[in-house]
């Protein structure tokens, strides 16, 4: 960015690594503040006062209190958030503290029975209202020029910036990033009043979606600019097939829609310095990786076979992630002499099916159910192949971790997976651009075919290690994405 003036930007999200994470959204929101600071922005974040967030929050100052439209009182505090770096220190964070809404143990979105909380419409409207109040100048010490909202949880904020007078008068610009169009935050229309939304917003040219209130649509319709997390996904969501009913709106706003590819945070994901793996290694010295593989085989009760290709998958276990396809491919992986280790949590049926496979194939298949950040690192370090057979994938981060850790990604060529992995064929082997394996049809047989190709490559050790070298040298870092966002903010401020 050329200008010397640092643009004040407020990032609004429901998760942030390492404080609170259920998926890639947290990784992205945790890495962005520092990347944006390097790109010349004055970044602060706004988060809901979940217990984990309050625990990481220090040196708080009470900024203000305001009433939510349904009468509950909200306190906005400002302080530092431990663990999230930004420039030379930790990021400055605003937290909206409403214990009745956010002080609940466990998952930020789901109750103990994994059902969405019945008051999620209020919980995430509260987050957006806090963003709107900050945009309206509730903090005399700092206010944003750009509000950058992430996913449906923050998506009412760009709408309030247009619809709510005190914020609208300040002319704060908004950018809305879609991390996954499939999760939309759709609620009954009778909540409109209670959420403080004007009747005029409830129409097709607004946030109405099939007679209901759509937070996702609010973000897409009212934000000054929309981004999503890869160029291919930006195109895909403009089609009826992948547009989740919003492709028409996205097509009409295509001049205001940009794909900005996510990065990888090398402070967290680098096999040369990763403190969560047993032996460090890099592209020039791979012995540590072999040790990591043996250690993981021991840990998970897999046969200690250094030559058996180890396929790993770290994922939410949902239909999106292609778990059914993987289940179909397990016999092929085993027939060819491979091993499989999966770490994930999600749909009960998928969890049970993976557990059945593990019980039926002791020493060959391991399924660890639950969420385990450190084990995820050990899996990428130990793996030979990282499976990402997603039906759709806005960006995907585990294929980037697989590349960096030399666990070659095997992916369905969609969304960000298509943008980050180069399939291995004779031409890409020869010009040394190959970094993994990709398949195109979303079918069990296409995945199995790709699995066979991965084995064929593995049996050619020279080619295998060459592809692995290329993979490990790829740099999907945040600097590029940070610059890209900073340029978009600048365009917004110039009303371009
Ligand atoms: P998504 O956000 O759709 O779940 P991504 O690939 O963008 O997919 O990001 C997933 C992130 O969550 C990665 O950092 C991955 O390592 C992590 N992850 C997913 N499942 C687990 C799990 N069970 N345990 C630990 N980390 C997990
Ligand atoms: C979403 C997407 C994933 C993306 C992540 C971070 O959860 O499903 O593809 O990598 O957000 O942007």
């Amino acid at each position: 960015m050329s200008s010397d003036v640092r643009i004040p930007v407020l990032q609004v999200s429901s998760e942030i690594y390492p404080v609170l994470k259920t998926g890639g959204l947290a990784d992205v929101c945790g890495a962005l503040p520092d990347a944006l600071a390097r790109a010349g922005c004055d970044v602060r974040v706004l988060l809901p006062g979940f217990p984990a967030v309050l625990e990481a929050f220090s040196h708080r100052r009470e900024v203000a209190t305001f009433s939510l439209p349904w009468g509950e009182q909200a306190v906005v505090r400002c302080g530092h958030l431990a663990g999230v770096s930004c420039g030379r220190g930790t990021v400055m964070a605003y937290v909206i503290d409403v214990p009745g809404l956010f002080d609940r143990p466990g998952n930020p979105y789901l109750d103990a029975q994994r059902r969405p909380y019945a008051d999620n419409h209020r919980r995430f409207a509260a987050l957006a209202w806090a963003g709107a109040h900050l945009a309206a100048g509730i903090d005399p010490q700092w206010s944003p020029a750009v509000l950058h909202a992430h996913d449906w949880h923050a998506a009412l904020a760009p709408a309030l910036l247009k619809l709510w007078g005190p914020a609208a008068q300040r002319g704060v610009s908004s950018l809305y990033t879609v991390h996954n169009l499939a999760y939309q935050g759709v609620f009954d229309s009778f909540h409109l009043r209670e959420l403080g939304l004007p009747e005029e917003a409830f129409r097709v040219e607004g946030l109405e979606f099939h007679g209901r209130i759509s937070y996702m649509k609010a973000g897409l319709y009212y934000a000054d600019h929309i981004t999503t997390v890869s160029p291919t996904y930006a195109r895909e969501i403009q089609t009826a097939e992948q547009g989740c009913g919003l492709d028409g709106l996205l097509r009409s706003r295509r001049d205001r829609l940009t794909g900005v590819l996510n990065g990888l945070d090398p402070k967290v994901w680098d096999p040369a310095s990763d403190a969560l793996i047993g032996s460090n290694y890099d592209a020039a010295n791979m012995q540590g990786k072999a040790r990591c593989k043996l250690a993981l085989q021991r840990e998970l009760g897999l046969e200690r076979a250094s030559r058996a290709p180890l396929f790993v998958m770290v994922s939410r276990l949902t239909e999106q992630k292609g778990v059914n396809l993987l289940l179909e491919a397990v016999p092929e992986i085993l027939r060819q002499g491979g091993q499989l280790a999966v770490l994930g949590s999600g749909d009960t049926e998928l969890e049970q099916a993976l557990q059945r496979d593990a019980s039926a194939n002791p020493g060959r298949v391991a399924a660890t159910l639950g969420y385990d950040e450190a084990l995820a690192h050990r899996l990428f370090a130990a793996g030979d192949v990282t499976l990402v057979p997603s039906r759709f994938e806005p960006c995907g981060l585990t294929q980037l971790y697989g590349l960096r850790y030399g666990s070659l990604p095997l992916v369905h060529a969609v969304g960000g997976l298509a943008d980050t992995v180069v399939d291995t064929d004779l031409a890409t082997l020869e010009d040394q651009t190959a970094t993994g394996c990709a398949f195109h049809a979303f079918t069990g047989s296409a995945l199995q075919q790709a699995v066979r190709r991965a084995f064929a490559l593995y049996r050619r050790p020279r080619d295998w290690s060459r592809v692995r070298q290329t993979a490990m040298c790829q740099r999907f870092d945040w600097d590029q994405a940070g610059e890209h966002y900073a340029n978009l903010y600048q365009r917004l401020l110039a009303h371009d």
Side-chain angles (χ1 to χ4, degrees):
M1 220 169 62
S2 51
S3 158
D4 291 340
V5 183
R6 296 166 67 78
I7 302 175
V9 180
L10 183 68
Q11 298 279 325
V12 189
S13 69
S14 56
E15 302 185 18
I16 193 161
Y17 178 85
V19 175
L20 180 62
K21 166 169 167 177
T22 71
L25 171 68
D27 289 355
V28 171
C29 294
L32 257 185
D34 201 35
L36 290 172
R38 283 198 303 274
C41 300
D42 169 18
V43 196
R44 296 191 179 192
V45 300
L46 166 64
L47 294 152
F50 295 125
V53 172
L54 293 175
E55 223 169 273
F57 194 44
S58 62
H59 298 104
R60 330 167 173 191
R61 153 174 78 88
E62 184 168 323
V63 173
T65 303
F66 69 90
S67 293
L68 290 159
W70 55 92
E72 217 162 350
Q73 287 299 296
V75 182
V76 177
R77 300 180 211 281
C78 181
H80 282 275
L81 202 60
V84 183
S85 52
C86 183
R88 268 183 237 120
T90 52
V91 74
M92 287 290 277
Y94 292 97
V95 169
I96 168 174
D97 199 1
V98 190
L101 294 179
F102 301 123
D103 187 10
R104 298 172 194 177
N107 187 293
Y109 319 111
L110 310 174
D111 66 17
Q113 280 73 47
R114 298 193 196 172
R115 284 178 314 225
Y117 288 114
D119 57 353
N120 270 351
H121 58 292
R122 284 189 173 183
R123 300 171 79 230
F124 296 105
L127 177 66
W129 273 107
H133 278 273
L134 285 161
I138 202 175
D139 184 357
Q141 297 184 17
W142 188 91
S143 64
V146 177
L147 183 148
H148 184 165
H150 296 269
D151 262 355
W152 75 263
H153 324 109
L156 278 192
L160 294 175
L161 260 48
K162 292 281 191 298
L163 298 168
W164 183 54
Q169 280 154 24
R170 303 276 290 223
V172 171
S173 300
S174 62
L175 188 144
Y176 176 51
T177 297
V178 179
H179 293 264
N180 194 333
L181 193 66
Y183 298 94
Q184 303 193 342
V186 175
F187 302 101
D188 286 328
S189 58
F190 59 75
H191 294 304
L192 198 70
R193 276 271 170 78
E194 153 198 2
L195 297 173
L197 296 165
E199 292 289 337
E200 64 178 89
F202 193 66
R203 49 179 198 207
V204 176
E205 282 82 32
L207 48 72
E208 187 262 346
F209 188 61
H210 300 292
R212 306 181 80 203
I213 301 167
S214 165
Y215 283 32
M216 173 63 74
K217 190 175 171 200
L220 297 178
Y221 183 81
Y222 289 102
D224 295 312
H225 198 92
I226 306 162
T227 67
T228 187
V229 288
S230 70
T232 295
Y233 192 61
R235 287 191 297 276
E236 289 170 347
I237 57 178
Q238 296 179 52
T239 65
E241 206 186 8
Q242 292 226 48
C244 303
L246 292 163
D247 46 293
L249 172 56
L250 286 159
R251 281 194 302 277
S252 75
R253 300 213 64 199
R254 63 181 169 274
D255 295 345
R256 293 273 151 203
L257 168 62
T258 310
V260 180
L261 194 66
N262 285 335
L264 164 156
D265 188 346
K267 289 193 292 304
V268 184
W269 298 101
D270 182 357
S273 56
D274 190 335
L276 297 174
I277 63 177
S279 307
N280 292 115
Y281 60 92
D282 57 31
N285 185 351
M286 295 294 287
Q287 280 155 11
K289 185 165 176 73
R291 284 197 290 275
C292 288
K293 181 170 172 179
L294 286 173
L296 187 93
Q297 285 171 327
R298 188 179 329 119
E299 176 184 346
L300 298 181
L302 294 169
E303 287 162 14
R304 298 197 66 193
S306 59
R307 297 255 169 84
L310 174 60
F311 287 68
V312 300
M313 180 160 168
V314 178
S315 185
R316 291 186 288 115
L317 300 176
T318 63
E319 191 266 341
Q320 174 198 342
K321 299 294 180 177
V323 186
N324 281 316
L325 242 53
L326 167 69
L327 291 165
E328 283 181 49
V330 173
E332 185 62 33
I333 293 174
L334 298 180
R335 198 175 66 77
Q336 300 257 357
Q339 299 181 340
L340 173 66
V342 181
L343 166 63
S345 66
D347 297 354
T348 311
E349 277 167 34
L350 298 174
E351 289 187 348
Q352 288 171 348
L354 283 165
Q355 245 168 349
R356 274 197 300 276
D357 268 352
S359 316
N361 300 284
R364 308 282 308 277
V365 177
T368 310
L369 303 181
Y371 195 90
D372 187 337
E373 191 72 28
L375 178 56
H377 285 245
R378 294 199 293 280
L379 282 167
F380 297 119
D384 295 297
V385 176
T386 298
L387 290 160
V388 200
S390 310
R391 186 164 66 77
F392 67 93
E393 196 61 79
C395 179
L397 295 171
T398 62
Q399 83 282 11
L400 300 184
Y401 305 152
L403 287 168
R404 189 65 175 250
Y405 283 68
S407 178
L408 297 186
L410 190 161
V411 305
H412 181 212
V414 286
L417 302 172
D419 292 339
T420 53
V421 178
V422 178
D423 187 31
T424 304
D425 60 26
L426 288 176
T428 57
L429 264 182
E430 188 166 288
D431 65 17
Q432 297 191 29
T433 53
T435 58
C437 294
F439 62 97
H440 290 270
F442 187 65
T443 61
S445 63
L447 171 58
Q448 286 163 50
Q449 193 66 38
V451 164
R452 278 202 287 278
R453 287 199 292 122
F455 276 100
L457 183 64
Y458 191 79
R459 291 186 192 113
R460 301 161 69 101
R462 279 192 46 208
D463 287 335
W464 178 267
S465 68
R466 224 206 234 172
V467 174
R468 202 161 62 172
Q469 289 286 318
T470 311
M472 292 179 74
C473 294
Q474 299 299 303
R475 287 294 173 261
F476 291 102
D477 57 35
W478 272 107
D479 283 340
Q480 218 176 328
E483 285 286 337
H484 204 151
Y485 283 118
N487 286 332
L488 288 172
Y489 302 153
Q490 224 169 25
R491 266 181 61 190
L492 287 177
L493 296 183
H495 300 289
D496 183 3

